[in-house]
Amino acid sequence: MTAPDKTIAITAIGAISQFGKGFGALEAGILNGECHLVSVGDLFDGFKGSMGRIGALPEIEHPERYSRTDRLACEAAREAAESAGLDEKLLHSAAVIMASTVTGLSEIDSAIGADPASWYRQAGLQRAATYPVSHVAGAVAEQLGTRGPVLSVSVACASGSMALALGANLLLDGQVPVVLAGGSDAISAFTTSGFLSLQALDREPCRPFDTTRKGLNLGEGAAVLVMETLAHARARQAHVLGTLRSWAMSNDAYHPTAPDKDGRGLARAIGLAREMAGASLDEIGYINAHGTGTPLNDIAETHAYELAFAGRSRPIPVSSTKSYTGHCLAAAGALEAAITILALRHGALFPTLRLESPIASPTVEYLRGPLRRESITAAMSVSAGFGGSNAALLFGGPCV
Amino acid sequence: MIRPPLVTGFGSVTAFGPASGLLSNLEIAPEPASWLAEPPRRAYTVKPFQASTLVPGAKTRRLDRLSTWTLVASHLALNDAGIDLETIDRSRVAVLFASGYGCVELTGSFFSSAHKNGWAGTDPITFPETLANAPAAHAALFHRLQGPNLTLCHAGFAAEYALQTAASLLRHGQADRVIVAAGDALCPALYAWFEEARLLSPECFGTGPVQNPAGLIPSEGVVALVLEAESSAHGNGYARLLDCQLDADAERIRPLASGATRIFCSGGGSPCLTHDATEAVRALAGPSATIFAAHPAAHGLAESGGLLHLLLALSQHPAPGPALQLGCDLRHYFGLQWEVL
């Protein structure tokens, strides 16, 4: 057992997802196996396909100052801060670390490409001012009134997990007593067009880890986790949802967009996280995978698990909950961290939806069919992204 | 007890030109930006250069300029640090990139192609290069660096946060060496935003130098440094990073100024350029401190200039000893406590 002042406790989670507003909605939706991928045809001409979209967002003061990504982030952060019972003093000193890739791109249309100055005059400078990645964390800090460090992370689809890893480092460094860390991204024409151009989208609901998989579905959402040391949480008698036992990051240094086909970089991150926690191969009871549904990712990820869990006594249970929500980009790591904590709390191993013909592997058990109930003590969430970055987060129960 | 990490190498691609190590010529002036056709506007710009002449084998034709500069600056910093990548464990080398705006040049190109061809007709090669983490990814890919690879963004203190995060990675044993790079690139859309927002200095419009520019002279470029655990470093290095602190209360930064007789004015909008802020710095550092004022070329890298501020200060060869790098924005002070070697 790690000392309480060196153990990272998760004391609240805020979320807004396809299941609805709130961590409770995420909890109920994922346990019920609800899929919220729907066909959309109005995002821009030339695109029709499945997406995990969220409807109208709650009202906010001065909405023109915030992008959709900002608003998703603020909604999740507000719930997280309230649920954690942070008093004004703690909130003032808290750090905010938010991941995003889309940021304010959802607020900018293609006409800016013709004449930027004219676009600014017509559409307003404030819309473009939401473009920097830093705007998301800044918006959360402004809405919550925090005065501690405010940092944004943008490492493609591994961003959300990395925000949590950096938050954990910051706590161990003693820089702040509390960190609000997570990720947020909205669906935008820019990003959808980019993935469409790469032929990475499946028009139908995605089938991660299926031999017939064709690509990913984009989603949107946000999740924010309140992190503090276990000692700090106990001192203020905070409710502990789970612990972040360890975390690790690596890079493939292999290709700008494709993962290392042998999964070596991701396997290294998993191994480092396991080593940091001192967890045995058999101790990890479930992996919430990156599992995008693209042909390249899912086979590389399978190879990573085969490398990282070679010698395990039984296949490692793995699933992709992107089959419920779509790929929420920088929010994915944070949302999936929340889902991994739910797996531990409920003893629930979530299946991948629509998985009929899983990739064959002697080391990996791709979960499918009905929800499996099984008590587990450690579960991992892994993420990877363009640029070769990987992250692995190992979670445990409330008291390790 | 883990010893504070050392800065062992610098590489830069800025308006001062590409450089390995400290800068020798600090006298530059803003020039008309070639990529702004009409009307002429001035900025501190990076002159075009062939990356492969500095980094043999580098293929940068399709990269955003920010990615190219990050790759080149990282390479120059590794050379300056005397690091032979063939002899070290590359999985223990991290890359941290800090930026305010990311790859704006190709983001603009992607918008232009969508405007011209529709969203269904955009270029698959351009899209991944628009991502904010593309510069860090290319630096890692070229040098085959497999440690943590992160891109951090902040309005004002992006570089300072990257240094703090790098020190944290070293402290927690998550890397032995970190390449920290920070910078931004200008493009017509970004420059137009500065202009429409009325943030520009009169000097941008060609009216000649002004004594106390109230506005920004936009700047571009990337500075990279190598931060190493002392146990990994070959030589003494330039400076040792002792501590970092961000706080809304200047008084809580004061301990970092203890014993510091040199103050390097840093980012966050660089109010050290103004009389009031200089007074604030004086109050922190005491009357005998030597203040290294922020250079406008670093000030112009508004969000990510922290490493250029540091490089410019060290290039003036301050005497060895304690120094404080101090930046302030509207809400916070960010102090970096250095020991100049």
Side-chain angles (χ1 to χ4, degrees):
Chain A
M1 177 173 167
T2 313
D5 63 336
K6 301 291 179 197
T7 302
I8 306 301
I10 310 299
T11 52
I13 299 174
I16 180 163
S17 67
Q18 292 73 14
F19 302 112
K21 184 183 156 192
F23 181 51
L26 174 68
E27 183 175 33
I30 198 88
L31 285 166
N32 288 336
E34 297 169 11
C35 174
H36 287 271
L37 298 170
V38 295
S39 185
V40 297
D42 59 344
L43 195 62
F44 57 79
D45 290 342
F47 176 78
K48 282 183 183 164
S50 296
M51 281 188 164
R53 291 184 86 175
I54 295 172
L57 300 183
E59 294 296 317
I60 190 171
E61 210 174 330
H62 304 298
E64 71 283 359
R65 288 172 50 196
Y66 302 102
S67 69
R68 185 170 174 84
T69 302
D70 295 335
R71 294 182 62 186
L72 289 165
C74 291
E75 194 59 40
R78 188 180 297 115
E79 183 197 2
E82 286 173 7
S83 302
L86 302 178
D87 60 27
E88 196 176 337
K89 187 181 169 198
L90 261 185
L91 201 53
H92 270 189
S93 56
V96 173
I97 306 178
M98 287 302 299
S100 186
T101 60
V102 174
T103 65
L105 284 171
S106 56
E107 314 306 309
I108 302 172
D109 57 67
S110 62
I112 197 172
D115 182 353
S118 169
W119 190 88
Y120 297 140
R121 284 192 286 270
Q122 287 171 18
L125 283 170
Q126 284 197 324
R127 282 175 65 185
T130 64
Y131 163 75
V133 172
S134 61
H135 203 270
V136 182
V140 168
E142 183 178 68
Q143 287 288 311
L144 297 184
T146 67
R147 300 176 71 185
V150 181
L151 186 60
S152 292
V153 181
S154 193
V155 194
C157 305
S159 305
S161 301
M162 291 193 174
L164 299 179
L166 292 185
N169 276 1
L170 206 58
L171 287 168
L172 292 190
D173 286 333
Q175 294 277 343
V176 288
V178 174
V179 174
L180 287 99
S184 177
D185 261 335
I187 285 173
S188 71
F190 188 101
T191 313
T192 308
S193 168
F195 279 100
L196 183 67
S197 72
L198 291 167
Q199 300 182 327
L201 298 180
D202 189 343
R203 305 288 178 136
E204 303 299 320
C206 61
R207 288 160 291 164
F209 300 121
D210 198 289
T211 52
T212 63
R213 68 196 178 279
K214 286 185 175 171
L216 60 85
N217 303 140
L218 288 171
E220 62 183 352
V224 173
L225 282 69
V226 176
M227 308 167 73
E228 53 195 303
T229 65
L230 190 57
H232 188 270
R234 283 176 174 167
R236 70 178 190 93
Q237 297 182 307
H239 178 60
V240 177
L241 293 171
T243 51
L244 176 57
R245 291 180 56 184
S246 62
W247 52 97
M249 300 172 276
S250 69
N251 191 267
D252 289 350
Y254 175 80
H255 187 272
T257 54
D260 177 348
K261 61 183 181 350
D262 296 325
R264 287 169 295 193
L266 184 56
R268 194 168 57 255
I270 292 169
L272 288 169
R274 203 171 59 73
E275 194 177 296
M276 179 183 176
S280 71
L281 284 172
D282 285 310
E283 196 177 336
I284 299 168
Y286 167 66
I287 292 182
N288 189 295
H290 188 56
T292 58
T294 63
L296 287 179
N297 175 82
D298 291 7
I299 193 68
E301 202 170 339
T302 301
H303 291 151
Y305 298 138
E306 288 171 345
L307 276 175
F309 290 97
R312 191 181 146 95
S313 65
R314 66 183 180 103
I316 178 83
V318 175
S319 72
S320 168
T321 49
K322 288 184 176 76
S323 58
Y324 302 65
T325 61
H327 189 346
C328 299
L329 304 175
L335 279 165
E336 289 159 16
I339 292 169
T340 306
I341 290 169
L342 287 172
L344 280 157
R345 289 181 65 76
H346 291 280
L349 309 193
F350 307 110
T352 300
L353 302 180
R354 297 173 296 283
L355 179 55
E356 291 179 2
S357 169
I359 296 169
S361 169
T363 316
V364 185
E365 180 197 5
Y366 284 116
L367 298 162
R368 63 194 182 108
L371 175 77
R372 183 195 294 177
R373 294 287 184 175
E374 183 178 322
S375 178
I376 53 174
T377 56
M380 190 174 265
S381 175
V382 305
S383 300
F386 280 175
S389 277
N390 308 296
L393 307 173
L394 182 64
F395 291 95
C399 296
V400 188
Chain B
M1 176 80 182
I2 298 171
R3 299 260 304 175
L6 293 168
V7 176
T8 56
F10 275 109
S12 57
V13 178
T14 64
F16 298 92
S20 183
L22 299 179
L23 302 175
S24 51
N25 173 24
L26 307 185
E27 300 300 318
I28 59 168
E31 295 181 1
S34 59
W35 33 259
L36 277 180
E38 288 294 334
R41 294 284 183 267
R42 290 172 189 271
Y44 290 103
T45 59
V46 174
K47 309 285 183 300
F49 67 99
Q50 192 72 35
S52 59
T53 60
L54 296 166
V55 186
K59 293 175 181 169
T60 58
R61 189 168 60 86
R62 289 174 167 168
L63 308 192
D64 191 283
R65 288 191 304 156
L66 194 63
S67 291
T68 299
W69 300 342
T70 305
L71 193 164
V72 172
S74 301
H75 188 79
L76 297 173
L78 285 166
N79 281 352
D80 187 44
I83 293 173
D84 178 0
L85 289 173
E86 298 302 324
T87 63
I88 63 170
D89 180 356
R90 296 177 200 233
S91 73
R92 301 284 305 160
V93 183
V95 179
L96 253 71
F97 178 62
S99 177
Y101 305 104
C103 296
V104 289
E105 182 185 33
L106 290 185
T107 298
S109 298
F110 197 80
F111 273 122
S112 296
S113 74
H115 184 68
K116 189 176 168 188
N117 307 317
W119 284 116
T122 52
D123 176 16
I125 293 171
T126 303
F127 173 64
E129 301 301 336
T130 66
L131 299 181
N133 69 317
H138 283 294
L141 181 59
F142 183 81
H143 297 105
R144 288 182 284 131
L145 306 176
Q146 294 148 351
N149 190 288
L150 286 149
T151 295
L152 307 178
C153 304
H154 183 267
F157 294 129
E160 287 85 344
Y161 272 117
L163 277 168
Q164 184 181 35
T165 304
S168 180
L169 291 180
L170 295 171
R171 195 178 305 123
H172 294 295
Q174 292 159 351
D176 295 331
R177 296 174 175 84
V178 186
I179 297 175
V180 186
D184 275 299
L186 293 170
C187 69
L190 181 57
Y191 201 99
W193 193 89
F194 287 138
E195 185 164 351
E196 290 295 320
R198 301 180 185 280
L199 295 174
L200 296 179
S201 159
E203 203 170 342
C204 296
F205 303 91
T207 55
V210 285
Q211 284 291 318
N212 185 15
L216 188 77
I217 304 171
S219 182
E220 62 181 6
V222 171
V223 175
L225 59 78
V226 178
L227 194 69
E228 300 191 67
E230 188 154 310
S231 55
S232 306
H234 295 298
N236 284 337
Y238 294 100
R240 184 177 277 123
L241 179 57
L242 303 178
D243 203 355
C244 314
Q245 175 90 34
L246 171 128
D247 210 289
D249 182 358
E251 281 306 307
R252 293 181 61 176
I253 302 292
R254 187 182 293 279
L256 298 190
S258 174
T261 52
R262 288 148 287 269
I263 308 293
F264 307 154
C265 293
S266 193
S270 298
C272 296
L273 285 172
T274 69
H275 175 74
D276 287 350
T278 304
E279 290 303 311
V281 171
R282 276 257 177 254
L284 267 180
S288 61
T290 304
I291 294 178
F292 291 72
H295 192 293
H299 175 58
L301 268 174
E303 322 294 12
S304 57
L307 298 192
L308 184 53
H309 285 290
L310 175 66
L311 175 60
L312 286 163
L314 293 176
S315 296
Q316 295 171 64
H317 302 288
L324 176 69
Q325 181 175 352
L326 183 67
C328 349
D329 66 10
L330 294 174
R331 301 176 73 211
H332 290 109
Y333 293 84
F334 205 126
L336 297 164
Q337 189 181 35
W338 295 101
E339 181 188 359
V340 178
L341 301 173

